[in-house]
Amino acid sequence: MLEVFAPVLEVPGLIPMILAVLVGGIVMGFAGFGSGLIFFPVAAAFVSPHMVVTSFALTTIGSIFTVLPNAWRDCEKRRTITMVLPAFAGLLAGIFVLRYGDPVFLRWLITLLVLVTLVAMVLGWRRTVGETPRALASIGGAAGVVGGASGLFGPVVILFNLSGTAPARVTRANILTFLVIVSSSTIPILYLQGLYSVESFGLGLLFVPVYMIGTLFGQALFVPKYERHYRIVGYLIVAGAVLVGLPIWG
């Protein structure tokens, strides 16, 4: 088993990526979003988009145990399922783009998605689309396509949920439940598509306990009445990750 981790030690940017996973887990735990938004720009500065997506997908194994039970209890289940099912269909189309897309294009795509999401959240964007079954299914499908191509399932779903009127705890649970279920479903699909390498698999396994520690710590910090403060902290950390991961640095 230890031989799986040997190639990981040669991966560039290992320490920054581990720190990004830890911080992303903490922010995810208390704010309900942000792990991918923090990790992806940082990791994309060191490794290929394929390795970014495949390694981080494995962290959701930890989320199934640390995040999903509480989130499932608090989420709007019918609403969430309505979004999850179309996401699976969109996921296949997105993974096709990931597999055959240009790595430089995908890196810019990841960075711009994070940046647009951050700006929209900071400006307090509010949607005009109602939560009809068709709208929910469309958002889920769009998140699947974007997530399959870039690994970022969050932007579409985060913006849709945070721009609604549900209580903070329910909104947080809706986002977390969707992200954990859909993200974890990408693991076997990515494997069957031949996108996992020894390095990305070992890197992902290394991330799992780090992410679990982060999410547990973040959940312990969560107090609903301080939701606004959590969001501000999350925004600042995501902004820092975007600056670090800008493709202009090389």
Side-chain angles (χ1 to χ4, degrees):
M1 183 66 179
L2 292 178
E3 60 269 17
V4 174
F5 295 101
V8 174
L9 300 179
E10 305 299 324
V11 174
L14 179 60
I15 299 302
M17 286 193 287
I18 289 175
L19 291 175
V21 170
L22 178 62
V23 174
I26 293 172
V27 174
M28 186 72 159
F30 68 65
F33 69 90
S35 58
L37 299 179
I38 291 167
F39 174 77
F40 278 64
V42 174
F46 299 104
V47 297
S48 69
H50 288 186
M51 187 173 288
V52 174
V53 173
T54 52
S55 63
F56 192 72
L58 284 171
T59 63
T60 53
I61 294 174
S63 301
I64 292 172
F65 302 101
T66 62
V67 172
L68 188 58
N70 289 335
W72 180 255
R73 180 194 63 207
D74 295 333
C75 78
E76 297 170 297
K77 296 174 180 57
R78 178 177 296 180
R79 178 186 187 279
T80 302
I81 292 172
T82 302
M83 297 179 70
V84 163
L85 295 179
F88 293 146
L91 179 61
L92 297 175
I95 288 178
F96 179 86
V97 176
L98 173 66
R99 185 173 184 179
Y100 298 105
D102 177 70
V104 176
F105 165 76
L106 290 173
R107 185 177 171 190
W108 274 107
L109 175 64
I110 289 170
T111 302
L112 291 175
L113 276 173
V114 175
L115 185 59
V116 169
T117 304
L118 176 62
V119 170
M121 289 190 296
V122 170
L123 294 179
W125 175 79
R126 289 291 180 268
R127 57 183 159 84
T128 56
V129 178
E131 295 195 359
T132 64
R134 179 176 295 180
L136 292 172
S138 299
I139 293 297
V145 173
V146 173
S150 66
L152 288 169
F153 295 95
V156 176
V157 175
I158 289 170
L159 289 178
F160 186 77
N161 281 280
L162 291 184
S163 62
T165 58
R169 181 178 293 276
V170 175
T171 297
R172 176 175 172 273
N174 288 340
I175 294 173
L176 287 171
T177 302
F178 178 90
L179 292 180
V180 172
I181 292 175
V182 177
S183 297
S184 60
S185 300
T186 66
I187 298 173
I189 298 175
L190 291 169
Y191 175 78
L192 292 173
Q193 290 290 321
L195 292 174
Y196 269 103
S197 63
V198 174
E199 291 83 2
S200 63
F201 186 75
L203 199 60
L205 291 181
L206 180 63
F207 289 159
V208 170
V210 176
Y211 190 69
M212 290 179 72
I213 291 170
T215 54
L216 287 172
F217 183 68
Q219 287 183 103
L221 294 176
F222 178 67
V223 179
K225 67 179 180 179
Y226 296 127
E227 180 219 2
R228 181 173 176 273
H229 299 85
Y230 297 144
R231 287 192 185 185
I232 292 173
V233 172
Y235 296 161
L236 292 174
I237 295 174
V238 172
V242 171
L243 291 175
V244 170
L246 282 173
I248 61 174
W249 304 128

